[in-house]
Amino acid sequence: MSTHADANALLAEIEGIGVDHDRGGYSRPVFSPAELELRRWFESHATARGLNVETDGNGILWAWWDVPDAGDRRGAIVTGSHLDSVPGGGNFDGPLGVASALAAVDVLRDRGIEPVRPLAVAVFPEEEGSRFGIACLGSRLLAGAVDPDRVRALTDESGRSFADAASDAGFDPSIIGADADRLAGIAAFVELHVEQGRGLIDLDQPVALAGAIIAHGRWHVRIEGRGDHAGATRMADRQDPVVVAAETIRSLRVHTLVVDDARGTVGRVKVTPGGTNVIASSVDLWMDVRHHSEEAVRRIVSEVTAGTERAADAEGCVVTVTEQSFSPTVSFDPALRDRMQSVLPHAPVLDTGAGHDAGVLAAVIPTGMLFVRNPTGASHTPAETAGPEDITAGVDALADVLTHLLTR
Ligand code: HGY
Ligand code: MN
Ligand code: MN
């Protein structure tokens, strides 16, 4: 176990974990064997660096570089990110921030930095919301932004509840929930993340600071029809939920395109029972809608919902649209960003369409983000990447910011 590896080497160590041979890329859902293996990987590297590792009641990992006389760890600086992935995702979305944080600890040690306040490297579970549907679930629990009883009852594709899956993985679901005392001890959280977009490519820069995260939410659309035989059922006698789903998807595209720079996606559709010669009995689909204006997001969703309800009536189906999670537009802490900018004067400030734990925690503690150039600009796909030099530049930038924050 190297106790001084650069972030590139650290990322290379996990390239074989959670490989998805069907989709390509990586599938590392929370509490899965792959995610648990990544947790162990992180804990071993943190421990090898002399960091004191704990897992809190929400399953968040905290690796502490404690300083003398800071018994209660007040005024801590926290960095880190997540290790879970979307289905078929890349190896950088999340792990780059975790690996860079570990490498930044090495850089601080090399520099002989003696922090005057504690540092923690944190790993937040279920950031993608890929298994239980709510994005940034760990940071939302910590911040008190989601009801623990609702979380315990969430189910995955197989119907397994969060409570049961957490218990299976060795966690105690009865103790999830807000942790105001832990938050009160944190002076700032800085998350490094691979850029999900082309901003740094266009600016020809390796590292950026985050300005804002646009508002974004996800809605579950369930359409109930009547299953029947594809050949024996006349067209006039059908109540086909797939037809209504098709109208929903078309409508989302239409209503998104008329709002400048809005983003509307349906990336997940589940047809039940799913036979080629079977008229479906129900369809579940999920909408992801984003825009700088929360009002615009909600207007798009309500327009699409109205259209879907009309299509369902015409088809003799019943539709239910349920908001799963919503994050308002987040502007990161200006004072913290100014301090980061004073350390990284050449780093541009970029907004992002991607959500992050830092975006959730921005509501309760000062947070900032660093983005590292992604030469493809693509993310949530195996094409997501970051070049070794830019990764090193990101680690140096993070180490510079942490040096500034930890020594005053
Ligand atoms: O969906 C997002 O924006 C983030 O990658 N979880
Ligand atoms: Mn992501
Ligand atoms: Mn991410």
Side-chain angles (χ1 to χ4, degrees):
M1 173 59 58
S2 64
T3 59
H4 194 294
D6 69 11
N8 290 286
L10 289 168
L11 286 167
E13 286 179 9
I14 63 171
E15 281 176 349
I17 300 174
V19 174
D20 190 322
H21 297 291
D22 298 328
R23 296 182 177 100
Y26 296 89
S27 293
R28 299 158 166 172
V30 69
F31 303 141
S32 66
E35 196 248 5
L36 297 176
E37 186 179 352
L38 288 170
R39 284 171 178 264
R40 290 190 295 273
W41 165 82
F42 171 76
E43 290 185 56
S44 58
H45 270 292
T47 307
R49 285 163 174 76
L51 304 179
N52 300 311
V53 183
E54 59 168 340
T55 303
D56 71 9
N58 292 314
I60 303 168
L61 283 160
W62 304 83
W64 289 96
W65 176 349
D66 287 310
V67 294
D69 310 324
D72 58 2
R73 293 172 171 162
R74 293 292 148 179
I77 302 300
V78 180
T79 186
S81 189
H82 62 96
L83 292 171
D84 66 297
S85 78
V86 295
N91 191 37
F92 298 84
D93 176 354
L96 179 62
V98 175
S100 298
L102 289 169
V105 167
D106 295 340
V107 172
L108 295 178
R109 293 264 171 78
D110 286 350
R111 293 178 181 175
I113 300 300
E114 292 185 7
V116 300
R117 56 178 70 233
L119 168 69
V121 178
V123 177
F124 295 93
E126 187 65 334
E127 188 277 341
E128 298 293 2
S130 296
R131 183 167 181 184
F132 294 104
I134 297 180
C136 300
L137 189 58
S139 50
R140 285 178 198 268
L141 281 166
L142 170 63
V146 66
D147 173 53
D149 286 336
R150 178 186 172 206
V151 171
R152 279 184 276 266
L154 292 172
T155 54
D156 64 12
E157 279 275 350
S158 71
R160 195 105 184 104
S161 72
F162 175 94
D164 289 343
S167 301
D168 293 348
F171 298 92
D172 177 358
S174 70
I175 59 174
I176 61 175
D179 191 340
D181 184 55
R182 185 178 291 272
L183 288 170
I186 300 173
F189 172 56
V190 176
E191 179 173 3
L192 180 146
H193 203 283
V194 63
E195 187 191 357
Q196 296 161 302
R198 300 184 49 82
L200 285 169
I201 299 169
D202 298 340
L203 293 169
D204 192 22
Q205 291 275 347
V207 173
L209 305 183
I213 297 177
I214 65 174
H216 58 285
R218 49 180 82 178
W219 285 262
H220 173 207
V221 179
R222 178 159 179 82
I223 309 160
E224 308 269 356
R226 187 176 57 80
D228 209 329
H229 192 293
T233 312
R234 298 182 310 165
M235 296 309 285
D237 298 335
R238 294 179 180 216
Q239 295 159 257
D240 186 343
V242 173
V243 172
V244 178
E247 170 54 24
T248 305
I249 296 166
R250 187 197 66 81
S251 172
L252 178 59
R253 173 59 66 94
V254 167
H255 288 290
T256 302
L257 285 176
V258 297
V259 179
D260 180 43
D261 208 22
R263 290 97 192 259
T265 311
V266 173
R268 183 179 165 210
V269 180
K270 191 178 100 182
V271 178
T272 301
T276 301
N277 56 350
V278 177
I279 301 170
S281 54
S282 66
V283 173
D284 294 279
L285 63 88
W286 287 263
M287 300 193 294
D288 179 309
V289 184
R290 309 190 188 207
H291 190 265
H292 258 290
S293 153
E294 173 175 347
E295 188 276 328
V297 170
R298 294 198 179 281
R299 189 174 65 248
I300 291 168
V301 172
S302 65
E303 287 166 347
V304 173
T305 299
T308 298
E309 286 167 346
R310 286 193 297 272
D313 288 347
E315 185 67 23
C317 292
V318 176
V319 63
T320 311
V321 179
T322 310
E323 179 174 302
Q324 273 197 313
S325 67
F326 186 82
S327 302
T329 298
V330 166
S331 293
F332 286 108
D333 184 275
L336 176 59
R337 192 171 62 243
D338 289 347
R339 294 178 70 184
M340 293 170 69
Q341 189 85 80
S342 72
V343 173
L344 304 170
H346 304 300
V349 177
L350 293 177
D351 292 350
T352 180
H356 299 283
D357 292 306
V360 170
L361 294 177
V364 289
I365 54 175
T367 60
M369 289 193 76
L370 292 172
F371 296 133
V372 173
R373 177 166 43 193
N374 170 350
T376 66
S379 185
H380 287 184
T381 157
E384 171 190 286
T385 188
E389 295 79 20
D390 287 346
I391 289 175
T392 301
V395 171
D396 289 342
L398 179 61
D400 290 348
V401 167
L402 293 177
T403 299
H404 172 85
L405 296 172
L406 289 166
T407 55
R408 42 182 57 75

Tab-separated table of all heavy atoms in Angstrom, residues 30 37 55 62 82 143 166 193 239-240 242 270 301 320 329 347 353-354 368 383 389 399:
chain	number	residue	atom	x	y	z
A	30	VAL	N	-24.472	2.266	-4.310
A	30	VAL	CA	-24.216	2.275	-2.875
A	30	VAL	C	-24.522	0.904	-2.269
A	30	VAL	O	-25.447	0.212	-2.702
A	30	VAL	CB	-25.072	3.376	-2.188
A	30	VAL	CG1	-26.553	3.014	-2.204
A	30	VAL	CG2	-24.586	3.630	-0.768
A	37	GLU	N	-16.009	-2.320	-1.671
A	37	GLU	CA	-14.572	-2.528	-1.919
A	37	GLU	C	-13.856	-1.178	-2.051
A	37	GLU	O	-12.749	-0.985	-1.555
A	37	GLU	CB	-14.375	-3.367	-3.184
A	37	GLU	CG	-12.917	-3.752	-3.442
A	37	GLU	CD	-12.719	-4.618	-4.685
A	37	GLU	OE1	-13.733	-5.061	-5.275
A	37	GLU	OE2	-11.552	-4.841	-5.057
A	55	THR	N	-16.681	6.129	10.359
A	55	THR	CA	-17.883	6.126	9.520
A	55	THR	C	-19.028	6.636	10.379
A	55	THR	O	-19.273	6.101	11.464
A	55	THR	CB	-18.209	4.698	9.022
A	55	THR	OG1	-17.072	4.188	8.317
A	55	THR	CG2	-19.419	4.705	8.094
A	62	TRP	N	-15.130	9.600	7.157
A	62	TRP	CA	-14.358	10.808	7.518
A	62	TRP	C	-12.959	10.341	7.907
A	62	TRP	O	-12.812	9.536	8.841
A	62	TRP	CB	-14.993	11.545	8.699
A	62	TRP	CG	-16.429	11.929	8.492
A	62	TRP	CD1	-17.529	11.134	8.678
A	62	TRP	CD2	-16.919	13.209	8.050
A	62	TRP	NE1	-18.668	11.849	8.374
A	62	TRP	CE2	-18.332	13.110	7.994
A	62	TRP	CE3	-16.305	14.421	7.713
A	62	TRP	CZ2	-19.136	14.180	7.602
A	62	TRP	CZ3	-17.113	15.491	7.319
A	62	TRP	CH2	-18.509	15.364	7.263
A	82	HIS	N	-17.261	11.552	-3.701
A	82	HIS	CA	-18.033	10.301	-3.581
A	82	HIS	C	-17.356	9.196	-4.385
A	82	HIS	O	-16.482	9.444	-5.219
A	82	HIS	CB	-19.473	10.501	-4.071
A	82	HIS	CG	-19.598	10.881	-5.523
A	82	HIS	ND1	-19.833	9.964	-6.524
A	82	HIS	CD2	-19.510	12.087	-6.145
A	82	HIS	CE1	-19.916	10.579	-7.694
A	82	HIS	NE2	-19.708	11.878	-7.496
A	143	ALA	N	-27.209	16.940	6.243
A	143	ALA	CA	-27.694	18.321	6.326
A	143	ALA	C	-29.130	18.406	6.826
A	143	ALA	O	-29.667	19.505	6.994
A	143	ALA	CB	-27.580	18.979	4.950
A	166	ALA	N	-28.834	-1.350	3.696
A	166	ALA	CA	-27.825	-0.781	4.599
A	166	ALA	C	-27.443	-1.801	5.672
A	166	ALA	O	-26.261	-2.011	5.959
A	166	ALA	CB	-28.367	0.493	5.249
A	193	HIS	N	-13.671	18.004	-8.392
A	193	HIS	CA	-14.477	17.114	-9.239
A	193	HIS	C	-14.043	17.247	-10.683
A	193	HIS	O	-13.659	18.329	-11.143
A	193	HIS	CB	-15.960	17.493	-9.103
A	193	HIS	CG	-16.904	16.381	-9.439
A	193	HIS	ND1	-17.192	16.008	-10.711
A	193	HIS	CD2	-17.612	15.542	-8.638
A	193	HIS	CE1	-18.068	15.000	-10.697
A	193	HIS	NE2	-18.336	14.695	-9.448
A	239	GLN	N	-55.274	0.016	-23.923
A	239	GLN	CA	-54.887	1.066	-22.956
A	239	GLN	C	-53.391	0.908	-22.722
A	239	GLN	O	-52.946	0.312	-21.750
A	239	GLN	CB	-55.670	0.888	-21.658
A	239	GLN	CG	-57.173	1.098	-21.818
A	239	GLN	CD	-57.958	0.430	-20.701
A	239	GLN	OE1	-58.536	-0.641	-20.923
A	239	GLN	NE2	-57.950	1.015	-19.540
A	240	ASP	N	-52.633	1.400	-23.676
A	240	ASP	CA	-51.206	1.077	-23.768
A	240	ASP	C	-50.356	2.171	-23.117
A	240	ASP	O	-50.203	3.267	-23.674
A	240	ASP	CB	-50.817	0.923	-25.244
A	240	ASP	CG	-49.383	0.437	-25.381
A	240	ASP	OD1	-48.627	0.526	-24.399
A	240	ASP	OD2	-49.019	-0.004	-26.495
A	242	VAL	N	-47.243	2.474	-22.873
A	242	VAL	CA	-46.020	2.839	-23.613
A	242	VAL	C	-46.304	3.999	-24.557
A	242	VAL	O	-45.457	4.884	-24.762
A	242	VAL	CB	-45.473	1.613	-24.377
A	242	VAL	CG1	-44.310	2.016	-25.272
A	242	VAL	CG2	-45.038	0.532	-23.402
A	270	LYS	N	-38.795	1.878	-17.620
A	270	LYS	CA	-39.010	0.479	-17.261
A	270	LYS	C	-40.406	0.076	-17.716
A	270	LYS	O	-41.411	0.636	-17.265
A	270	LYS	CB	-38.889	0.286	-15.750
A	270	LYS	CG	-38.837	-1.188	-15.324
A	270	LYS	CD	-38.659	-1.333	-13.820
A	270	LYS	CE	-39.989	-1.629	-13.147
A	270	LYS	NZ	-39.894	-1.742	-11.693
A	301	VAL	N	-41.831	21.028	-15.937
A	301	VAL	CA	-42.399	19.790	-15.382
A	301	VAL	C	-43.921	19.862	-15.352
A	301	VAL	O	-44.607	18.890	-15.713
A	301	VAL	CB	-41.835	19.515	-13.978
A	301	VAL	CG1	-42.563	18.335	-13.317
A	301	VAL	CG2	-40.330	19.239	-14.048
A	320	THR	N	-49.243	8.977	-12.723
A	320	THR	CA	-48.871	9.623	-11.446
A	320	THR	C	-47.461	10.186	-11.591
A	320	THR	O	-46.548	9.444	-11.989
A	320	THR	CB	-48.874	8.587	-10.296
A	320	THR	OG1	-50.092	7.852	-10.344
A	320	THR	CG2	-48.719	9.266	-8.934
A	329	THR	N	-31.052	26.236	-7.325
A	329	THR	CA	-29.780	26.773	-7.816
A	329	THR	C	-28.893	27.123	-6.625
A	329	THR	O	-29.374	27.685	-5.639
A	329	THR	CB	-30.032	28.042	-8.654
A	329	THR	OG1	-30.836	27.668	-9.774
A	329	THR	CG2	-28.727	28.647	-9.150
A	347	ALA	N	-7.395	30.688	-12.190
A	347	ALA	CA	-8.489	29.729	-12.390
A	347	ALA	C	-9.775	30.478	-12.741
A	347	ALA	O	-10.208	31.365	-12.000
A	347	ALA	CB	-8.704	28.898	-11.121
A	353	GLY	N	-23.878	22.290	-14.681
A	353	GLY	CA	-25.203	21.675	-14.735
A	353	GLY	C	-25.254	20.389	-13.943
A	353	GLY	O	-26.273	19.692	-13.933
A	354	ALA	N	-24.147	20.053	-13.290
A	354	ALA	CA	-24.099	18.797	-12.535
A	354	ALA	C	-24.249	19.077	-11.043
A	354	ALA	O	-23.688	20.028	-10.512
A	354	ALA	CB	-22.774	18.073	-12.780
A	368	GLY	N	-17.073	25.200	-1.445
A	368	GLY	CA	-16.512	25.609	-2.728
A	368	GLY	C	-16.145	24.367	-3.513
A	368	GLY	O	-16.113	23.257	-2.959
A	383	ALA	N	-16.684	7.472	-21.545
A	383	ALA	CA	-15.823	8.448	-22.253
A	383	ALA	C	-15.294	9.526	-21.311
A	383	ALA	O	-14.366	10.261	-21.640
A	383	ALA	CB	-16.615	9.116	-23.382
A	389	GLU	N	-1.621	15.122	-16.493
A	389	GLU	CA	-1.045	16.423	-16.095
A	389	GLU	C	-2.106	17.297	-15.427
A	389	GLU	O	-1.846	17.978	-14.434
A	389	GLU	CB	-0.478	17.169	-17.315
A	389	GLU	CG	0.699	16.500	-18.006
A	389	GLU	CD	0.241	15.340	-18.913
A	389	GLU	OE1	-0.956	15.309	-19.281
A	389	GLU	OE2	1.079	14.469	-19.181
A	399	ALA	N	-4.185	21.333	-3.024
A	399	ALA	CA	-3.200	21.456	-1.929
A	399	ALA	C	-2.950	22.925	-1.616
A	399	ALA	O	-2.821	23.312	-0.449
A	399	ALA	CB	-1.906	20.762	-2.317
